[in-house]
Each structure stands twice: as C-alpha cells, then as structure tokens.
Amino acid sequence: MALRTRFLLLLALRWLATGLLLPVSLLLPLERGLTVAEVGLAMAAQGAVVLLCEVPSGALTDAWGRRPVFVASGVVAIVGYCVAFTAQSVLAFALAWAVLGLFRALDSGPLEAWFVDAEHARGAADEVPRGLAAAGGVISASLATGALISAGLLRVSPWSAEATLAMPYLVAIGIVVVQIACAWRLMDAVARSARPSGEAWRASLVAGVRVALGRRLRLLSASMVLVGVGVAALELFMPVRLTEFSADSSSAASRLGIVSSAAWGLAALGAAITTRLLNSVGPAVLTPTLFVVEGLGLVAMAAATGVGILVAGYWLCYLVHTSSGAMYNSLVHRRVDDAQRGTALSVASMAFLGAGAAGGVGLGALGEATSASWALATGACFMIAAAVLVVAAVRRPQR
C-alpha cells in the first residue's frame, strides 16, 4: 500500500471516532446538569494536562518512535471515552477531559511526523504540503461521516435524551480499537537523521523546545495560542446558540449532528481547493488568509438572529478550518528537521489546546455574564490577531 494511502487511512480512522462525538461531547454534560461555565471549567482539565504532557510526549515521539506513541494515544483515548460515558458530575467530566488531554498530547505529532519523515526519506519533501492538504480533506470527510452517523443514531434512538447522547461513545471506542490494529500493521519504521536513543530523551526534549520557541517558530507558536481561543469559542458556543433556537438538548444534538456533518463536508471541499491553490499561492499567504476567513465566520455566528445565519457562519468557519491547520503545519515543517519534528508539532499543539482550555474558561464566564454572542465576537478578534502574527512570522528571516 502506498505511503500516502496508509497515512490517509489511519487519519480517517483517527478522526471518524472524533466525528461521532462532535454532536454530543458538550451537550451530554449539559444534559447531565452542568452549566456552560462548569463545562468550560471541566474542559480546562484537558488544557492543564496538555500543558504538562504535550512537549514531553513530542520528545517521546522523537526518542521512542512514531508508531508506539500513536498506538498508546489510542489506548488512552479508549480510557477517556469510557470515563466520559459514565461521568455524572463536574469532577467526573473534568477527569474525562484530563484523560483526553493526555490522548491529545500523545496524538498530536506521531502520525504526521511519521508521514513527513517517510516523504523526506524517499526524497519527496516537496510533496509534504500537498500531502497535508489532502490529509485535511480526509480529516474533514471523516469528521463529517462520524457526525452524520451520530446524528442518525440520535434521531432513531428509542432511549432517553441522556442515554441517547452517551451512545456515540460506545461506537467511538470500537473504531479506536480498529485504528490501533491498523496502526500497528501499517506504520513501518523510517530511518531518521540524528534519531535520539531512549537515554537521550531529555536532550531531545531540550533541543526540540529550543527550536520550537526560538526565532524560527516563536511567532508561529504565539499565533497558535490565539487560534486556540478562537476555536474554543467556535466549539463551545455553537451548541449553546443552536440550543437557543431548538426545543430541547436532544433536538439540538440531532440538528448539530447534521449541521456538523455538512460543515466537515465543506471542510473537505476547502481542503481540495487549498490543494489546487498551492500551485500558485504558498502556505505563507494561505495561512493568515484562512485565519481571517474563520474569524469572519465567528462574527456571523455572533450576529445571528436565527438558525440560518448561525449555520452559515459555522459553515464558513469549517470551510477553512482544517486547511488553515494544514497550511500552518507546513510552515512549521519548513523550519525544523526530523530530529525535532515531533517536539515542534507538540509545542504547536500545546499552544493550541492549552489556550483553548483557558479560553474555554474565560469565554464560558464571559458567556454567562453577557451572552454567547459576545463570547463568539471575542473569539473572532483572537482569530484575526493570529493572522497578523503569522504575517509577521513569515516576513521575519528564519535565522
């Protein structure tokens, strides 16, 4: 099986499970009695774990190997899904998100780093941006499929709203089991330059952090902090605003499943368009442009007075959502070598998820004190500021 095909297949499995949970992950705790502010507080546990584990896990990826860390991330995901399935309190949901924070930390770099290593090893480094753009399309399609399956399950379920909202977690666990088996079979070893031994893990960690926070990546890492807050607004307040226009949380979840599925379908379309644009416009131009477009989508969601405008803004965000991440990662890959690639990706992920968790707490409190619309508008400001930082980063000499 061709390298890119293996990479995209593993990505599809990885994100299909996440897609199943898109319509329910925030509505389930709300159905079980948590407030929006409490959900934001529980989500912060994920950010705290990411802050502690993200960079060490990236160094572990560089030192231990891509496949073992990716497989371990799947095992941790199963544990997190089991905890969320049974959670009934703020503390229990915080524990679930903490475990999922460890999952995200382990998952953030190994599969992509394996693909980039393999492309470099066969002398095809120029194919990396196109491969990552294609990956964005696969991720989007997988999330769309998962959300659509979840919406179907929610619509036909004969059980109570609470039991119905928990059901997709069981399906997600089964998919992750398949993902683990396929990863063990398909991710073969790739020779990498200056590959550190297990004993040199600390040295790998230090070197990777120096690269990620040094002149070459400092502004890019800062931009990802701002993006994390913007995306937190998108994820936290779309279900809240949709509930404002729905009869109950179960109805909102079913509607959100359909809307999310279409949104990720648009994201796949956006990734395909981005792949074609790469022939004439590079990641240095596309990345900030896509961040601005996502900010405009948040503005539309904030201003919405009905479902139509709300959904249109949401879809605009997702049209560029995965493409912007892929183009951002392309900028990162140009500035690091394979010995620190996993750590550099983990720093970016740490910035994104840590800021997203903190943003969830702050925006949740803002939403409670004012409204979901003001929180979304604040997220839009962060997205546009991130675009400004990326422009500054690409204009600065790398050395």
Side-chain angles (χ1 to χ4, degrees):
M1 187 183 296
L3 170 64
R4 185 178 296 186
T5 302
R6 285 179 282 157
F7 172 56
L8 297 179
L9 174 60
L10 291 171
L11 270 181
L13 291 170
R14 155 66 182 89
W15 290 100
L16 180 62
T18 300
L20 282 162
L21 304 181
L22 284 176
V24 301
S25 60
L26 294 178
L27 292 175
L28 178 62
L30 292 173
E31 179 66 27
R32 289 180 174 174
L34 277 65
T35 66
V36 174
E38 287 173 336
V39 171
L41 184 62
M43 288 176 65
Q46 176 174 279
V49 172
V50 167
L51 288 172
L52 290 173
C53 299
E54 184 68 78
V55 177
S57 72
L60 185 65
T61 297
D62 289 330
W64 190 20
R66 315 311 195 193
R67 183 176 68 175
V69 175
F70 184 64
V71 169
S73 73
V75 174
V76 174
I78 291 173
V79 175
Y81 294 157
C82 289
V83 176
F85 177 79
T86 59
Q88 296 287 338
S89 65
V90 176
L91 183 60
F93 277 107
L95 176 60
W97 264 303
V99 175
L100 292 174
L102 178 58
F103 154 59
R104 293 293 297 268
L106 292 169
D107 172 74
S108 63
L111 183 57
E112 183 174 316
W114 168 78
F115 169 69
V116 175
D117 287 346
E119 290 284 40
H120 281 230
R122 72 186 188 92
D126 291 344
E127 292 298 315
V128 168
R130 288 181 176 80
L132 295 181
V138 169
I139 291 171
S140 302
S142 299
L143 287 167
T145 301
L148 188 60
I149 293 171
S150 189
L153 292 173
L154 294 168
R155 187 166 293 275
V156 303
S157 171
W159 300 306
S160 66
E162 180 180 336
T164 297
L165 291 171
M167 183 170 53
Y169 281 91
L170 297 179
V171 183
I173 289 169
I175 291 172
V176 177
V177 171
V178 175
Q179 170 199 315
I180 291 171
C182 289
W184 198 258
R185 178 72 177 85
L186 298 177
M187 292 179 71
D188 51 3
V190 179
R192 295 184 285 121
S193 62
R195 181 176 179 177
S197 65
E199 292 76 13
W201 172 82
R202 183 179 300 177
S204 174
L205 173 61
V206 172
V209 171
R210 283 177 178 170
V211 170
L213 299 183
R215 182 177 179 84
R216 287 180 289 174
L217 292 180
R218 188 182 301 134
L219 287 177
L220 287 178
S221 297
S223 73
M224 196 47 53
V225 171
L226 301 180
V227 170
V229 178
V231 173
L234 174 66
E235 293 180 346
L236 184 58
F237 288 99
M238 176 57 180
V240 174
R241 291 233 66 196
L242 192 58
T243 302
E244 295 174 6
F245 305 113
S246 303
D248 52 46
S249 60
S250 181
S251 172
S254 179
R255 181 182 287 181
L256 182 59
I258 297 171
V259 170
S260 296
S261 178
W264 287 110
L266 287 170
L269 174 62
I273 294 171
T274 299
T275 303
R276 290 185 175 274
L277 287 175
L278 279 169
N279 293 325
S280 55
V281 182
V285 174
L286 284 172
T287 303
T289 301
L290 296 175
F291 283 166
V292 169
V293 172
E294 190 161 356
L296 294 176
L298 289 171
V299 170
M301 293 174 65
T305 56
V307 175
I309 297 176
L310 176 65
V311 171
Y314 184 70
W315 282 348
L316 179 60
C317 288
Y318 275 88
L319 179 65
V320 300
H321 189 59
T322 54
S323 299
S324 63
M327 293 303 96
Y328 173 89
N329 283 357
S330 295
L331 296 177
V332 172
H333 288 305
R334 289 180 176 182
R335 289 163 169 76
V336 298
D337 57 33
D338 55 10
Q340 285 86 40
R341 195 177 312 284
T343 308
L345 288 174
S346 289
V347 169
S349 180
M350 178 187 70
F352 175 76
L353 293 174
V361 175
L363 292 172
L366 177 63
E368 289 282 341
T370 57
S371 67
S373 292
W374 276 109
L376 284 164
T378 302
C381 294
F382 276 85
M383 289 297 304
I384 293 170
V388 174
L389 282 183
V390 172
V391 171
V394 298
R395 289 181 175 179
R396 171 183 287 186
Q398 293 186 28
R399 298 184 184 279

